[in-house]
Coordinates of all heavy atoms in Angstrom, one line a residue:
M1 N 73.1 -85.4 -80.1 CA 74.5 -85.6 -79.6 C 75.0 -87.0 -79.9 O 74.3 -88.0 -79.7 CB 74.7 -85.3 -78.2 CG 74.7 -83.8 -78.0 SD 75.4 -83.4 -76.3 CE 73.8 -83.6 -75.4
T2 N 76.2 -87.4 -80.4 CA 76.7 -88.6 -80.5 C 77.2 -89.2 -79.2 O 77.1 -88.6 -78.2 CB 77.9 -88.6 -81.5 OG1 79.0 -87.8 -80.9 CG2 77.5 -88.1 -82.8
G3 N 77.6 -90.4 -79.2 CA 78.0 -91.1 -78.0 C 79.2 -90.4 -77.2 O 79.2 -90.5 -76.0
R4 N 80.0 -89.6 -77.9 CA 81.1 -88.9 -77.2 C 80.9 -87.5 -77.0 O 81.8 -86.8 -76.5 CB 82.4 -89.2 -78.0 CG 82.5 -88.8 -79.3 CD 83.9 -89.2 -79.9 NE 83.8 -89.3 -81.3 CZ 84.6 -89.3 -82.1 NH1 85.9 -89.2 -81.7 NH2 84.6 -89.4 -83.4
E5 N 79.8 -86.9 -77.4 CA 79.5 -85.6 -77.1 C 78.6 -85.4 -75.9 O 77.7 -86.2 -75.5 CB 78.7 -84.9 -78.3 CG 79.5 -84.7 -79.5 CD 78.9 -83.8 -80.6 OE1 77.8 -83.5 -80.4 OE2 79.6 -83.7 -81.4
F6 N 78.9 -84.5 -75.0 CA 78.1 -84.3 -73.8 C 78.2 -82.8 -73.5 O 79.2 -82.1 -73.7 CB 78.7 -85.1 -72.7 CG 78.1 -85.0 -71.4 CD1 76.9 -85.6 -71.1 CD2 78.6 -84.1 -70.4 CE1 76.3 -85.6 -69.8 CE2 78.0 -84.0 -69.2 CZ 76.8 -84.8 -68.9
D7 N 77.1 -82.2 -72.9 CA 77.0 -80.9 -72.5 C 76.1 -80.8 -71.2 O 75.0 -81.3 -71.3 CB 76.4 -80.1 -73.6 CG 76.8 -78.6 -73.6 OD1 77.5 -78.2 -72.7 OD2 76.4 -77.9 -74.5
A8 N 76.6 -80.1 -70.3 CA 75.9 -80.0 -69.0 C 76.0 -78.7 -68.5 O 77.2 -78.1 -68.3 CB 76.3 -80.9 -67.9
D9 N 75.0 -77.9 -68.2 CA 75.0 -76.6 -67.6 C 74.6 -76.6 -66.1 O 74.0 -77.6 -65.5 CB 73.9 -75.7 -68.3 CG 74.4 -75.3 -69.6 OD1 75.6 -75.3 -69.9 OD2 73.5 -75.1 -70.4
G10 N 75.1 -75.6 -65.4 CA 74.8 -75.5 -64.0 C 75.5 -76.4 -63.1 O 75.0 -76.9 -62.0
V11 N 76.6 -76.8 -63.4 CA 77.5 -77.7 -62.6 C 78.5 -77.0 -61.7 O 79.0 -75.9 -62.2 CB 78.3 -78.8 -63.5 CG1 77.3 -79.5 -64.3 CG2 79.2 -78.1 -64.2
S12 N 78.7 -77.5 -60.6 CA 79.8 -76.9 -59.8 C 81.1 -77.6 -60.1 O 81.1 -78.8 -60.3 CB 79.5 -77.0 -58.3 OG 79.5 -78.4 -57.8
V13 N 82.1 -76.8 -60.1 CA 83.4 -77.2 -60.4 C 84.5 -76.8 -59.4 O 84.6 -75.7 -58.9 CB 83.9 -76.7 -61.8 CG1 85.4 -77.2 -62.1 CG2 83.1 -77.0 -62.9
R14 N 85.0 -77.8 -58.7 CA 86.1 -77.6 -57.7 C 87.5 -78.1 -58.2 O 87.6 -79.2 -58.9 CB 85.7 -78.5 -56.5 CG 84.5 -78.1 -55.8 CD 84.1 -79.1 -54.8 NE 82.8 -78.8 -54.2 CZ 82.7 -78.3 -53.0 NH1 83.7 -77.9 -52.3 NH2 81.4 -78.0 -52.6
R15 N 88.5 -77.3 -57.8 CA 89.8 -77.7 -58.1 C 90.4 -78.5 -56.9 O 90.4 -78.0 -55.8 CB 90.7 -76.6 -58.4 CG 92.2 -76.8 -58.6 CD 92.5 -77.5 -59.9 NE 93.7 -78.1 -60.0 CZ 94.9 -77.5 -60.3 NH1 94.9 -76.3 -60.6 NH2 96.0 -78.3 -60.3
G16 N 90.6 -79.8 -57.0 CA 90.8 -80.7 -55.9 C 89.5 -80.7 -55.1 O 88.4 -80.7 -55.8
W17 N 89.5 -81.0 -53.9 CA 88.3 -81.3 -53.2 C 87.8 -80.0 -52.6 O 86.6 -79.9 -52.4 CB 88.5 -82.5 -52.1 CG 87.2 -82.8 -51.5 CD1 86.8 -82.5 -50.2 CD2 86.2 -83.5 -52.0 NE1 85.6 -83.0 -50.0 CE2 85.1 -83.7 -51.1 CE3 85.9 -84.1 -53.3 CZ2 84.0 -84.3 -51.3 CZ3 84.8 -84.8 -53.5 CH2 83.7 -85.0 -52.6
W18 N 88.5 -79.0 -52.2 CA 88.1 -78.0 -51.4 C 87.9 -76.7 -52.1 O 87.1 -75.8 -51.9 CB 89.1 -77.6 -50.3 CG 89.3 -78.8 -49.3 CD1 90.3 -79.7 -49.2 CD2 88.3 -79.3 -48.5 NE1 90.0 -80.7 -48.3 CE2 88.8 -80.5 -47.8 CE3 87.0 -78.9 -48.1 CZ2 88.0 -81.2 -46.9 CZ3 86.2 -79.6 -47.2 CH2 86.8 -80.7 -46.6
R19 N 88.8 -76.4 -53.2 CA 88.7 -75.1 -53.8 C 87.6 -75.0 -54.8 O 87.8 -75.6 -56.0 CB 90.1 -74.8 -54.4 CG 90.1 -73.4 -55.0 CD 91.5 -73.0 -55.3 NE 91.6 -71.7 -55.8 CZ 92.5 -71.2 -56.6 NH1 93.7 -72.0 -56.7 NH2 92.5 -70.0 -57.2
M20 N 86.6 -74.1 -54.7 CA 85.6 -74.0 -55.6 C 86.0 -73.0 -56.7 O 86.4 -72.0 -56.4 CB 84.3 -73.3 -54.8 CG 83.1 -73.1 -55.7 SD 82.3 -74.7 -56.3 CE 81.5 -75.1 -54.7
R21 N 85.7 -73.4 -58.0 CA 86.1 -72.7 -59.1 C 84.9 -71.9 -59.5 O 84.9 -70.6 -60.0 CB 86.6 -73.5 -60.2 CG 88.0 -74.2 -59.9 CD 89.1 -73.1 -59.6 NE 89.2 -72.3 -60.9 CZ 90.3 -71.7 -61.2 NH1 91.4 -72.0 -60.6 NH2 90.4 -70.9 -62.2
T22 N 83.7 -72.6 -59.6 CA 82.4 -72.0 -60.0 C 81.3 -72.9 -59.5 O 81.4 -74.1 -59.4 CB 82.3 -71.8 -61.5 OG1 81.0 -71.2 -61.9 CG2 82.4 -73.2 -62.3
R23 N 80.2 -72.2 -59.2 CA 78.9 -73.0 -58.8 C 78.0 -73.3 -59.9 O 77.1 -74.1 -59.7 CB 78.3 -72.1 -57.7 CG 79.1 -72.0 -56.4 CD 78.3 -71.2 -55.4 NE 79.1 -70.7 -54.3 CZ 79.3 -71.4 -53.2 NH1 78.6 -72.5 -53.0 NH2 80.1 -71.1 -52.3
A24 N 78.0 -72.6 -61.0 CA 77.2 -72.7 -62.1 C 77.9 -72.7 -63.4 O 77.6 -72.0 -64.3 CB 76.1 -71.5 -62.0
G25 N 78.8 -73.7 -63.4 CA 79.6 -73.8 -64.7 C 79.1 -74.7 -65.7 O 77.8 -75.1 -65.7
R26 N 79.9 -75.2 -66.6 CA 79.5 -75.9 -67.7 C 80.6 -77.0 -68.1 O 81.8 -76.7 -68.1 CB 79.3 -75.1 -68.9 CG 78.8 -75.7 -70.1 CD 78.6 -74.8 -71.2 NE 77.5 -75.3 -72.1 CZ 77.0 -74.7 -73.1 NH1 77.4 -73.3 -73.4 NH2 76.2 -75.2 -73.8
L27 N 80.2 -78.2 -68.3 CA 81.1 -79.2 -68.7 C 80.8 -79.6 -70.2 O 79.5 -79.9 -70.4 CB 80.9 -80.5 -67.8 CG 81.6 -81.8 -68.3 CD1 83.0 -81.6 -68.3 CD2 81.0 -83.0 -67.4
R28 N 81.7 -79.5 -71.1 CA 81.4 -79.7 -72.5 C 82.4 -80.6 -73.0 O 83.5 -80.5 -72.8 CB 81.4 -78.4 -73.2 CG 81.1 -78.5 -74.7 CD 80.9 -77.3 -75.4 NE 82.1 -76.5 -75.2 CZ 82.2 -75.2 -75.4 NH1 81.2 -74.5 -75.7 NH2 83.3 -74.5 -75.2
I29 N 81.9 -81.7 -73.8 CA 82.7 -82.6 -74.5 C 82.2 -82.5 -76.0 O 81.2 -82.9 -76.3 CB 82.5 -84.1 -74.0 CG1 83.0 -84.1 -72.5 CG2 83.4 -85.0 -74.9 CD1 82.8 -85.5 -71.9
R30 N 83.1 -82.1 -76.8 CA 82.9 -82.0 -78.3 C 84.1 -82.5 -79.0 O 85.2 -82.2 -78.7 CB 82.7 -80.5 -78.7 CG 81.5 -79.8 -78.1 CD 80.3 -80.2 -78.9 NE 79.1 -79.9 -78.0 CZ 78.4 -78.8 -78.1 NH1 78.7 -77.9 -78.9 NH2 77.3 -78.8 -77.3
G31 N 83.8 -83.4 -80.0 CA 84.8 -84.0 -80.8 C 85.7 -84.8 -79.9 O 85.2 -85.8 -79.2
A32 N 87.0 -84.5 -79.7 CA 87.9 -85.1 -78.9 C 88.5 -84.3 -77.8 O 89.6 -84.4 -77.4 CB 89.1 -85.6 -79.8
R33 N 87.6 -83.3 -77.3 CA 88.1 -82.4 -76.3 C 87.1 -82.2 -75.2 O 85.9 -82.0 -75.5 CB 88.4 -81.1 -76.9 CG 89.1 -80.1 -76.1 CD 89.7 -78.9 -76.9 NE 90.8 -78.3 -76.4 CZ 92.0 -78.8 -76.2 NH1 92.2 -80.0 -76.6 NH2 93.0 -78.2 -75.7
L34 N 87.5 -82.3 -73.9 CA 86.7 -81.8 -72.7 C 87.1 -80.6 -72.3 O 88.2 -80.1 -72.2 CB 87.0 -82.9 -71.7 CG 86.1 -82.7 -70.4 CD1 85.7 -84.0 -69.9 CD2 86.9 -82.0 -69.3
T35 N 86.0 -79.6 -72.0 CA 86.2 -78.3 -71.6 C 85.4 -77.9 -70.4 O 84.2 -78.3 -70.4 CB 85.9 -77.3 -72.7 OG1 86.5 -77.8 -73.9 CG2 86.3 -75.9 -72.4
L36 N 86.1 -77.3 -69.4 CA 85.4 -76.9 -68.3 C 85.3 -75.4 -68.3 O 86.3 -74.7 -68.5 CB 86.1 -77.2 -66.9 CG 86.3 -78.7 -66.6 CD1 87.1 -78.8 -65.5 CD2 84.9 -79.3 -66.3
L37 N 83.9 -74.8 -68.2 CA 83.8 -73.4 -68.4 C 83.1 -72.7 -67.1 O 82.3 -73.5 -66.5 CB 82.8 -73.1 -69.6 CG 83.4 -73.6 -70.9 CD1 82.2 -73.7 -72.0 CD2 84.5 -72.8 -71.4
T38 N 83.3 -71.6 -66.8 CA 82.6 -70.8 -65.9 C 81.2 -70.5 -66.4 O 80.8 -70.7 -67.5 CB 83.2 -69.5 -65.5 OG1 83.3 -68.6 -66.5 CG2 84.7 -69.8 -64.9
S39 N 80.4 -69.8 -65.4 CA 79.1 -69.5 -65.9 C 79.1 -68.4 -67.0 O 78.0 -68.3 -67.7 CB 78.2 -69.1 -64.7 OG 78.7 -68.0 -64.1
C40 N 80.1 -67.6 -67.1 CA 80.2 -66.6 -68.0 C 80.8 -67.1 -69.3 O 81.0 -66.2 -70.2 CB 81.0 -65.5 -67.4 SG 80.4 -64.7 -66.0
G41 N 81.2 -68.3 -69.4 CA 81.7 -68.8 -70.6 C 83.2 -68.8 -70.7 O 83.8 -69.1 -71.7
V42 N 83.9 -68.4 -69.6 CA 85.4 -68.3 -69.6 C 85.8 -69.7 -69.3 O 85.5 -70.4 -68.4 CB 85.8 -67.4 -68.4 CG1 87.3 -67.3 -68.3 CG2 85.3 -66.0 -68.7
E43 N 86.8 -70.2 -70.0 CA 87.4 -71.4 -70.0 C 88.3 -71.7 -68.6 O 89.1 -70.9 -68.4 CB 88.4 -71.8 -71.1 CG 88.9 -73.2 -71.0 CD 89.7 -73.5 -72.3 OE1 89.2 -73.4 -73.5 OE2 90.8 -73.8 -72.3
I44 N 87.9 -72.7 -67.8 CA 88.6 -73.0 -66.6 C 90.0 -73.8 -67.0 O 90.9 -73.7 -66.6 CB 87.8 -73.6 -65.6 CG1 86.7 -72.8 -65.1 CG2 88.6 -74.2 -64.4 CD1 85.6 -73.4 -64.3
D45 N 89.6 -74.9 -67.8 CA 90.6 -75.8 -68.2 C 90.1 -76.6 -69.4 O 88.8 -76.7 -69.5 CB 91.0 -76.8 -67.1 CG 92.4 -77.3 -67.2 OD1 92.9 -77.1 -68.4 OD2 92.9 -78.0 -66.3
S46 N 90.9 -77.2 -70.3 CA 90.5 -77.9 -71.4 C 91.5 -78.9 -71.7 O 92.9 -78.7 -71.5 CB 90.3 -76.9 -72.6 OG 90.0 -77.7 -73.7
E47 N 91.3 -80.1 -72.2 CA 92.2 -81.1 -72.5 C 91.5 -82.1 -73.6 O 90.4 -82.2 -73.6 CB 92.6 -81.9 -71.2 CG 93.9 -82.9 -71.4 CD 95.1 -82.1 -71.7 OE1 95.5 -81.3 -70.9 OE2 95.6 -82.3 -72.8
V48 N 92.5 -82.7 -74.3 CA 91.9 -83.7 -75.3 C 91.6 -84.9 -74.5 O 92.2 -85.3 -73.5 CB 93.2 -83.9 -76.3 CG1 93.2 -82.8 -77.3 CG2 94.4 -84.4 -75.8
L49 N 90.6 -85.7 -75.1 CA 90.1 -86.8 -74.4 C 91.1 -87.9 -74.1 O 91.0 -88.6 -72.9 CB 88.9 -87.4 -75.1 CG 87.6 -86.6 -74.9 CD1 86.5 -87.1 -75.8 CD2 87.2 -86.5 -73.5
P50 N 92.1 -88.3 -74.8 CA 93.1 -89.3 -74.5 C 93.8 -89.1 -73.2 O 94.3 -90.0 -72.5 CB 94.0 -89.4 -75.8 CG 93.2 -88.7 -76.8 CD 92.4 -87.8 -76.2
R51 N 94.0 -87.7 -72.8 CA 94.7 -87.4 -71.6 C 93.7 -87.1 -70.3 O 94.1 -86.6 -69.4 CB 95.5 -86.1 -71.9 CG 96.6 -86.5 -72.9 CD 97.4 -85.3 -73.2 NE 98.2 -84.9 -72.0 CZ 98.9 -83.8 -72.0 NH1 99.2 -83.1 -73.0 NH2 99.5 -83.5 -70.9
V52 N 92.4 -87.4 -70.5 CA 91.4 -87.3 -69.4 C 91.0 -88.5 -68.8 O 90.8 -89.5 -69.5 CB 90.2 -86.5 -70.0 CG1 89.2 -86.5 -68.9 CG2 90.5 -85.2 -70.7
R53 N 91.0 -88.6 -67.5 CA 90.5 -89.7 -66.8 C 89.3 -89.3 -66.0 O 89.2 -88.2 -65.3 CB 91.4 -90.3 -65.8 CG 92.6 -91.1 -66.5 CD 93.5 -91.7 -65.5 NE 94.2 -90.7 -64.7 CZ 94.7 -90.8 -63.5 NH1 94.5 -91.8 -62.9 NH2 95.3 -89.7 -62.9
A54 N 88.1 -90.0 -66.2 CA 86.9 -89.6 -65.4 C 86.4 -90.8 -64.7 O 86.3 -92.0 -65.2 CB 85.8 -89.2 -66.5
T55 N 86.1 -90.7 -63.4 CA 85.6 -91.7 -62.6 C 84.4 -91.1 -61.7 O 84.5 -89.8 -61.4 CB 86.8 -92.3 -61.6 OG1 87.2 -91.4 -60.8 CG2 87.7 -93.0 -62.6
A56 N 83.6 -92.0 -61.1 CA 82.6 -91.7 -60.2 C 82.9 -92.6 -59.0 O 82.3 -93.6 -58.9 CB 81.1 -91.9 -60.7
P57 N 83.8 -92.2 -58.2 CA 84.4 -93.0 -57.1 C 83.2 -93.3 -56.0 O 82.3 -92.6 -55.8 CB 85.4 -92.2 -56.3 CG 85.7 -91.1 -57.2 CD 84.5 -90.8 -58.1
W58 N 83.4 -94.5 -55.5 CA 82.4 -95.0 -54.5 C 82.4 -94.1 -53.3 O 81.3 -94.0 -52.5 CB 82.6 -96.4 -54.2 CG 83.9 -96.7 -53.5 CD1 85.1 -97.0 -54.0 CD2 84.2 -96.6 -52.1 NE1 86.1 -97.1 -53.1 CE2 85.6 -96.8 -51.9 CE3 83.5 -96.2 -51.0 CZ2 86.3 -96.8 -50.7 CZ3 84.0 -96.3 -49.7 CH2 85.5 -96.5 -49.6
Y59 N 83.4 -93.5 -52.9 CA 83.5 -92.8 -51.6 C 83.0 -91.3 -51.8 O 82.8 -90.6 -50.8 CB 85.0 -92.7 -51.1 CG 85.9 -92.2 -52.1 CD1 86.1 -90.8 -52.4 CD2 86.7 -93.1 -53.0 CE1 87.1 -90.4 -53.3 CE2 87.6 -92.6 -53.9 CZ 87.7 -91.3 -54.0 OH 88.7 -90.8 -55.0
A60 N 82.7 -90.8 -53.0 CA 82.2 -89.6 -53.2 C 80.7 -89.6 -53.2 O 80.0 -90.5 -53.6 CB 82.6 -88.9 -54.6
P61 N 80.1 -88.4 -52.7 CA 78.5 -88.5 -52.9 C 78.0 -88.6 -54.3 O 78.8 -88.4 -55.3 CB 78.3 -87.0 -52.4 CG 79.5 -86.5 -51.6 CD 80.6 -87.1 -52.3
A62 N 76.8 -89.1 -54.5 CA 76.2 -89.4 -55.8 C 76.2 -88.1 -56.5 O 75.9 -86.9 -56.1 CB 74.7 -89.9 -55.6
G63 N 76.5 -88.3 -57.7 CA 76.6 -87.1 -58.8 C 78.0 -86.5 -58.8 O 78.1 -85.6 -59.8
F64 N 78.9 -86.8 -58.0 CA 80.3 -86.2 -58.2 C 81.1 -87.0 -59.0 O 81.2 -88.3 -59.1 CB 80.9 -86.2 -56.8 CG 80.7 -84.9 -56.0 CD1 79.6 -84.9 -55.2 CD2 81.4 -83.8 -56.2 CE1 79.3 -83.8 -54.4 CE2 81.1 -82.7 -55.4 CZ 80.0 -82.6 -54.6
V65 N 81.8 -86.3 -60.0 CA 82.6 -87.0 -61.0 C 84.1 -86.3 -60.7 O 84.2 -85.3 -60.6 CB 82.3 -86.7 -62.4 CG1 83.2 -87.3 -63.4 CG2 80.9 -87.3 -62.7
R66 N 85.0 -87.3 -60.7 CA 86.4 -86.8 -60.5 C 87.1 -86.8 -61.9 O 87.0 -87.9 -62.6 CB 87.2 -87.8 -59.6 CG 88.5 -87.5 -59.4 CD 89.2 -88.5 -58.4 NE 90.6 -88.2 -58.1 CZ 91.6 -88.9 -58.7 NH1 91.4 -89.9 -59.4 NH2 92.8 -88.5 -58.4
L67 N 87.5 -85.8 -62.4 CA 88.2 -85.5 -63.7 C 89.7 -85.2 -63.4 O 90.0 -84.4 -62.7 CB 87.5 -84.4 -64.4 CG 86.1 -84.7 -64.9 CD1 85.5 -83.3 -65.5 CD2 86.0 -85.7 -65.9
V68 N 90.5 -85.9 -64.2 CA 91.9 -85.7 -64.1 C 92.3 -85.3 -65.4 O 92.3 -86.0 -66.3 CB 92.7 -86.9 -63.7 CG1 94.2 -86.4 -63.5 CG2 92.3 -87.3 -62.2
L69 N 92.7 -84.0 -65.6 CA 93.1 -83.4 -67.0 C 94.6 -83.0 -66.9 O 95.0 -82.1 -66.3 CB 92.3 -82.2 -67.2 CG 90.8 -82.2 -67.7 CD1 89.9 -82.6 -66.6 CD2 90.4 -80.9 -68.2
A70 N 95.4 -84.0 -67.5 CA 96.7 -83.8 -67.6 C 97.4 -83.6 -66.2 O 98.2 -82.7 -66.0 CB 97.2 -82.8 -68.5
G71 N 97.0 -84.4 -65.2 CA 97.5 -84.2 -63.8 C 96.8 -83.4 -62.9 O 97.1 -83.3 -61.7
R72 N 95.8 -82.5 -63.4 CA 95.1 -81.6 -62.5 C 93.8 -82.3 -62.2 O 93.1 -82.7 -63.1 CB 94.8 -80.3 -63.2 CG 96.2 -79.5 -63.5 CD 96.1 -78.3 -64.3 NE 95.3 -78.5 -65.7 CZ 96.1 -79.0 -66.7 NH1 97.4 -79.2 -66.6 NH2 95.4 -79.1 -67.9
T73 N 93.4 -82.3 -60.9 CA 92.2 -83.0 -60.5 C 91.1 -82.0 -60.3 O 91.3 -80.9 -59.6 CB 92.5 -83.8 -59.2 OG1 93.4 -84.7 -59.4 CG2 91.2 -84.5 -58.7
Y74 N 90.0 -82.2 -60.8 CA 88.7 -81.5 -60.7 C 87.6 -82.3 -60.2 O 87.4 -83.5 -60.6 CB 88.3 -80.7 -62.0 CG 89.4 -79.8 -62.5 CD1 90.2 -80.1 -63.3 CD2 89.2 -78.4 -62.0 CE1 91.2 -79.2 -63.9 CE2 90.0 -77.5 -62.4 CZ 91.0 -77.8 -63.4 OH 92.0 -76.9 -63.8
W75 N 86.8 -81.9 -59.4 CA 85.5 -82.6 -59.0 C 84.4 -81.7 -59.5 O 84.2 -80.5 -59.2 CB 85.4 -82.6 -57.4 CG 86.4 -83.6 -56.9 CD1 87.7 -83.3 -56.4 CD2 86.1 -85.0 -56.6 NE1 88.1 -84.4 -55.9 CE2 87.3 -85.5 -56.0 CE3 85.0 -85.8 -56.8 CZ2 87.4 -86.8 -55.7 CZ3 85.1 -87.1 -56.5 CH2 86.3 -87.6 -55.9
V76 N 83.5 -82.4 -60.2 CA 82.3 -81.8 -60.9 C 81.1 -82.4 -60.4 O 80.9 -83.7 -60.2 CB 82.4 -82.0 -62.4 CG1 81.1 -81.5 -63.1 CG2 83.7 -81.5 -63.1
R77 N 80.2 -81.6 -59.9 CA 78.9 -82.1 -59.3 C 77.8 -82.0 -60.4 O 77.5 -81.0 -60.8 CB 78.6 -81.3 -58.1 CG 77.4 -81.9 -57.4 CD 77.1 -81.2 -56.1 NE 76.0 -81.8 -55.4 CZ 75.5 -81.4 -54.3 NH1 76.0 -80.3 -53.8 NH2 74.5 -82.1 -53.7
L78 N 77.2 -83.2 -60.5 CA 76.0 -83.2 -61.6 C 74.9 -84.0 -61.0 O 75.1 -84.4 -59.7 CB 76.5 -83.9 -62.9 CG 77.7 -83.4 -63.6 CD1 78.4 -84.5 -64.4 CD2 77.3 -82.3 -64.6
T79 N 73.8 -84.2 -61.7 CA 72.9 -85.2 -61.1 C 73.5 -86.6 -61.3 O 74.4 -86.7 -62.1 CB 71.6 -85.0 -61.8 OG1 71.8 -85.4 -63.1 CG2 71.0 -83.7 -61.7
A80 N 72.9 -87.6 -60.6 CA 73.5 -88.9 -60.8 C 73.4 -89.5 -62.1 O 74.4 -90.1 -62.6 CB 72.8 -89.9 -59.8
Q81 N 72.4 -89.3 -62.9 CA 72.2 -89.7 -64.2 C 73.2 -89.0 -65.1 O 73.9 -89.6 -66.0 CB 70.8 -89.6 -64.8 CG 70.6 -90.1 -66.1 CD 69.1 -89.9 -66.6 OE1 68.4 -89.2 -66.0 NE2 68.9 -90.4 -67.8
R82 N 73.4 -87.7 -65.0 CA 74.3 -87.0 -65.8 C 75.8 -87.3 -65.6 O 76.6 -87.4 -66.5 CB 74.0 -85.4 -65.7 CG 72.7 -85.0 -66.3 CD 72.5 -83.6 -65.9 NE 72.6 -82.8 -67.1 CZ 72.6 -81.5 -67.0 NH1 72.5 -80.9 -66.0 NH2 72.8 -80.8 -68.2
A83 N 76.0 -87.7 -64.2 CA 77.4 -88.0 -63.9 C 77.7 -89.3 -64.5 O 78.8 -89.4 -65.2 CB 77.4 -88.3 -62.4
R84 N 76.8 -90.2 -64.6 CA 77.0 -91.6 -65.3 C 77.2 -91.3 -66.8 O 78.1 -91.9 -67.5 CB 75.8 -92.4 -65.2 CG 76.1 -93.8 -64.6 CD 74.9 -94.6 -64.5 NE 73.5 -94.0 -64.6 CZ 72.8 -93.8 -63.6 NH1 73.3 -93.8 -62.3 NH2 71.7 -93.1 -63.9
R85 N 76.4 -90.5 -67.4 CA 76.6 -90.2 -68.9 C 77.9 -89.4 -69.2 O 78.5 -89.6 -70.1 CB 75.4 -89.3 -69.4 CG 74.1 -90.1 -69.4 CD 72.9 -89.3 -69.9 NE 73.3 -88.4 -71.1 CZ 72.8 -87.3 -71.2 NH1 71.9 -86.7 -70.3 NH2 73.0 -86.6 -72.2
A86 N 78.3 -88.6 -68.2 CA 79.6 -87.8 -68.5 C 80.9 -88.8 -68.4 O 81.7 -88.8 -69.3 CB 79.8 -86.8 -67.4
V87 N 80.9 -89.7 -67.5 CA 81.9 -90.7 -67.5 C 81.8 -91.6 -68.6 O 82.9 -91.9 -69.3 CB 81.8 -91.6 -66.1 CG1 82.8 -92.8 -66.1 CG2 82.0 -90.6 -64.9
E88 N 80.6 -92.1 -69.1 CA 80.5 -92.8 -70.4 C 81.0 -92.1 -71.6 O 81.5 -92.7 -72.5 CB 79.0 -93.3 -70.6 CG 78.6 -94.3 -69.5 CD 77.1 -94.6 -69.6 OE1 76.4 -94.0 -70.5 OE2 76.6 -95.3 -68.7
A89 N 80.7 -90.8 -71.6 CA 81.2 -90.1 -72.8 C 82.7 -90.0 -72.9 O 83.3 -90.0 -74.0 CB 80.7 -88.6 -72.7
V90 N 83.4 -89.9 -71.7 CA 84.9 -89.8 -71.7 C 85.4 -91.2 -72.1 O 86.3 -91.4 -73.0 CB 85.4 -89.4 -70.4 CG1 86.9 -89.5 -70.4 CG2 85.0 -87.8 -70.2
T91 N 84.8 -92.3 -71.5 CA 85.3 -93.6 -71.7 C 85.0 -94.3 -73.0 O 85.6 -95.0 -73.6 CB 85.0 -94.5 -70.6 OG1 83.5 -94.5 -70.5 CG2 85.5 -94.3 -69.2
A92 N 83.8 -93.8 -73.7 CA 83.3 -94.2 -75.0 C 84.3 -93.9 -76.0 O 84.7 -94.6 -76.9 CB 82.0 -93.6 -75.2
W93 N 85.0 -92.7 -75.9 CA 85.9 -92.3 -76.8 C 87.2 -93.2 -76.8 O 87.7 -93.7 -77.9 CB 86.6 -90.8 -76.5 CG 87.3 -90.2 -77.6 CD1 86.8 -89.7 -78.7 CD2 88.7 -90.4 -77.8 NE1 87.8 -89.3 -79.5 CE2 89.0 -89.6 -79.0 CE3 89.7 -90.9 -77.1 CZ2 90.3 -89.6 -79.4 CZ3 91.1 -90.8 -77.5 CH2 91.3 -90.2 -78.7
R94 N 87.6 -93.7 -75.8 CA 88.8 -94.6 -75.6 C 88.3 -96.0 -76.3 O 89.3 -96.6 -76.9 CB 89.2 -94.9 -74.3 CG 89.8 -93.6 -73.7 CD 90.5 -93.9 -72.4 NE 91.2 -92.6 -72.0 CZ 91.4 -92.3 -70.7 NH1 91.0 -93.0 -69.8 NH2 92.0 -91.3 -70.4
H95 N 87.2 -96.4 -76.1 CA 86.7 -97.8 -76.6 C 86.7 -97.7 -78.3 O 86.8 -98.6 -78.8 CB 85.4 -98.1 -76.0 CG 85.7 -98.5 -74.5 ND1 86.6 -99.4 -74.0 CD2 85.1 -97.9 -73.4 CE1 86.6 -99.5 -72.8 NE2 85.6 -98.6 -72.4
E96 N 86.4 -96.5 -78.8 CA 86.1 -96.4 -80.2 C 87.4 -96.4 -80.9 O 87.4 -96.7 -82.0 CB 85.4 -95.0 -80.6 CG 84.0 -95.0 -80.1 CD 83.3 -93.8 -80.4 OE1 83.9 -92.9 -81.0 OE2 82.2 -93.6 -80.0
Q97 N 88.6 -96.1 -80.2 CA 89.9 -96.0 -80.9 C 90.4 -97.5 -81.1 O 90.2 -98.4 -80.5 CB 90.8 -95.2 -80.0 CG 90.4 -93.7 -79.9 CD 90.1 -93.1 -81.2 OE1 91.0 -93.1 -82.1 NE2 89.1 -92.4 -81.2

């Protein structure tokens, strides 16, 4: 995978902080698009990378990434290392432009 490609399986996806969308979903970054999928492969949400903000806030437990896709907030739970790589994959695209 290149610097801006990322793929993670078995992640939990929440809409906002409380509403669980899936417990074993998938986070995929390919080309210039970020996609959140359920465990069955159904798309939850998708957005082009220039309109995505990704952070790992200090107040969230380790491994949680806050994604904002065109104004919609999602919390994705990964391992701490994968969370760092996911944030880097989103921000690397902006630095390459």
Side-chain angles (χ1 to χ4, degrees):
M1 284 189 274
T2 65
R4 59 181 156 162
E5 288 187 0
F6 181 81
D7 203 358
D9 289 331
V11 300
S12 69
V13 179
R14 296 172 185 257
R15 174 77 198 268
W17 188 251
W18 299 108
R19 186 172 177 193
M20 180 70 75
R21 297 298 303 215
T22 184
R23 293 177 192 267
R26 183 177 207 172
L27 169 65
R28 182 173 54 197
I29 299 173
R30 296 279 160 98
R33 189 163 209 68
L34 182 140
T35 308
L36 296 171
L37 303 163
T38 65
S39 57
C40 298
V42 177
E43 184 176 301
I44 296 171
D45 205 349
S46 179
E47 191 62 65
V48 291
L49 285 176
R51 296 179 62 181
V52 175
R53 286 185 293 154
T55 57
W58 62 268
Y59 55 84
F64 274 89
V65 175
R66 181 177 179 256
L67 296 172
V68 180
L69 283 69
R72 296 174 303 276
T73 302
Y74 294 93
W75 287 91
V76 178
R77 185 176 186 184
L78 305 155
T79 63
Q81 182 181 6
R82 290 172 109 189
R84 237 183 344 266
R85 287 181 43 218
V87 172
E88 288 172 2
V90 172
T91 56
W93 191 87
R94 288 190 177 150
H95 295 300
E96 290 177 7
Q97 298 305 316

